Amino acid sequence: MTTYTTLIILSGLVIFSYLFDLIAGKTKIPSVILLLFLGIGIRLAVDYFNLLKINFTSILPALGTLGLILIVFEGALELKYTKNKNGVIKISFFSALSTLLLTSCLITGAFYYITGESVYKCFVNAIPFCVVSSSIAIPSASGINKEKKEFIIYESSFSDILAVILFNFMISNESINISAFARLSAELGGILLVAIGSCLLLLYLIGRLTHHIKSFLIISILILVYSVGQSYHLSSLIIVLALGLFLNNAGQINISWFRKYFIYPTLGHDIKQLFQLSAESAFIMRTFFFIIFGYTMDVYQLQNWMTIVNGGLVLLLIYLVRYLYLKIVLRTGLMPELVIIPRGLISVLLFYNIPASVKIPALGTGLLFVVILGTSIIMSLGLLGTKKSATQEFKDV
């Protein structure tokens, strides 16, 4: 394959992804589904014509991690904080936490029944199936009213963070005791201090940099801090969310010494540029991640009816928990919150990071694909059937 052929393929995939985004805006079909099917189609064509097969498995986690950082950062940069949003933040946090834990417990029971493996192994393998993917949920919420959109952004971002915390906690502690929770508390305290320091440092740097290249440097530092934290099994996604919220709301802080050293006239312009760059970079990462994930999928696993049945059982449990929580706890309208709980990028990342000693072979990528595809299709149908409404579900919170 020549250099120019490679460039033609890469640029063509980006163009397809852009067209898929346009289609998604008109039809409410998530572009992720179309990207997955494009990847699957490419793999089937490679197999049919007996072309050179490339193993992308090793770069998939790296692409996914970059995409996750940029998508969460982009979503946080859209959020403006005011005191009347405390209710939405509180509701979205407890919604993410409660549904994550309840769904994990139910799916753990299902996996225990299916495989007969230990409860610990089943719980670790269940976590990737229980997290709402912000990489799909946030773009899919663009067409709904502002209050619901903010709820979806906060909830999916909290879900990503809490799932990573829970996953790291379970991987590091096969036996749960008081000392395990003490270590977790210390780690969370440390990561919060790092988040505060990182926010102040990066804002200070943005104001002092005179070079015309700023945004890429800030994003690179953010990725560096995230990666260092994750290498020590810290929940560095908190830093990403905190930085985005902090940068977009720093102008509201009315402390004199803070405004003197950190606020400068062109801050708003720089934040807009940073948002634009992170959004376009996230688009590129998401494009290649889901195409490569579709390419690496063993679609022939779907010929096994047990994979479809098990996937259906997982989907049933996911939507049962969501329905009961919305109906009994939140007591709000069901749509579109009931369907905007897709599984995607973060699920794949956690699934591929399950240690070999804990991974259950019977729960392969085919099951994960069924769940990702199922939640995306259900979300598409739900959004198609939901009319845009200006009703503010959380106005009285």
Side-chain angles (χ1 to χ4, degrees), residues 326-364:
L326 290 174
K327 199 72 174 176
I328 298 173
V329 180
L330 292 187
R331 298 179 181 178
T332 65
L334 295 177
M335 300 300 286
E337 293 92 330
L338 177 64
V339 297
I340 307 183
I341 48 171
R343 274 48 178 168
L345 191 151
I346 185 67
S347 297
V348 178
L349 289 179
L350 293 179
F351 185 84
Y352 276 104
N353 278 285
I354 298 175
S357 59
V358 182
K359 190 182 289 287
I360 300 176
L363 307 174

Side-chain angles (χ1 to χ4, degrees), residues 91-295:
I91 286 176
S92 59
F93 176 81
F94 284 107
S95 175
L97 178 62
S98 302
T99 53
L100 173 66
L101 294 177
L102 290 171
T103 310
S104 296
C105 291
L106 290 179
I107 295 179
T108 296
F111 285 173
Y112 180 79
Y113 174 78
I114 293 168
T115 66
E117 295 283 354
S118 68
V119 173
Y120 172 74
K121 283 188 176 182
C122 291
F123 191 86
V124 172
N125 281 266
I127 294 173
F129 295 88
C130 305
V131 52
V132 178
S133 174
S134 59
S135 65
I136 303 177
I138 291 175
S140 300
S142 59
I144 62 178
N145 69 57
K146 185 179 178 181
E147 289 75 18
K148 289 176 179 286
K149 179 181 178 181
E150 287 185 341
F151 173 77
I152 295 298
I153 292 175
Y154 279 120
E155 185 195 34
S156 59
S157 298
F158 283 138
S159 182
D160 287 354
I161 292 168
L162 292 169
V164 171
I165 293 173
L166 180 62
F167 184 80
N168 289 337
F169 178 73
M170 295 303 299
I171 293 298
S172 304
N173 302 279
E174 189 167 347
S175 59
I176 309 301
N177 49 41
I178 296 176
S179 62
F181 284 103
R183 285 195 299 271
L184 175 63
S185 300
E187 289 173 0
L188 291 178
I191 206 70
L192 287 174
L193 290 176
V194 173
I196 294 170
S198 299
C199 289
L200 293 173
L201 174 62
L202 289 177
L203 180 57
Y204 184 83
L205 281 176
I206 294 174
R208 297 301 182 276
L209 290 173
T210 57
H211 197 276
H212 65 284
I213 303 297
K214 285 186 179 182
S215 299
F216 260 125
L217 177 62
I218 298 303
I219 291 174
S220 298
I221 294 173
L222 177 61
I223 293 170
L224 175 64
V225 173
Y226 175 91
S227 302
V228 171
Q230 281 298 118
S231 65
Y232 289 98
H233 300 289
L234 300 176
S235 302
S236 303
L237 208 57
I238 294 174
I239 298 174
V240 178
L241 180 62
L243 179 63
L245 288 170
F246 177 74
L247 291 178
N248 200 32
N249 295 276
Q252 300 184 46
I253 301 175
N254 293 317
I255 302 173
S256 57
W257 66 265
F258 177 84
R259 299 192 70 85
K260 177 181 178 181
Y261 291 105
F262 293 97
I263 303 301
Y264 58 97
T266 59
L267 175 61
H269 177 263
D270 288 343
I271 297 303
K272 285 182 181 179
Q273 282 192 325
L274 185 60
F275 171 77
Q276 185 68 28
L277 182 61
S278 62
E280 297 198 5
S281 300
F283 169 78
I284 294 294
M285 292 298 108
R286 186 173 68 244
T287 294
F288 288 108
F289 175 82
F290 283 107
I291 290 175
I292 291 175
F293 179 60
Y295 178 87

Side-chain angles (χ1 to χ4, degrees), residues 308-324:
I308 306 296
V309 171
N310 293 338
L313 176 60
V314 171
L315 289 170
L316 176 64
L317 296 176
I318 288 171
Y319 288 101
L320 175 64
V321 171
R322 183 65 163 182
Y323 173 81
L324 293 176

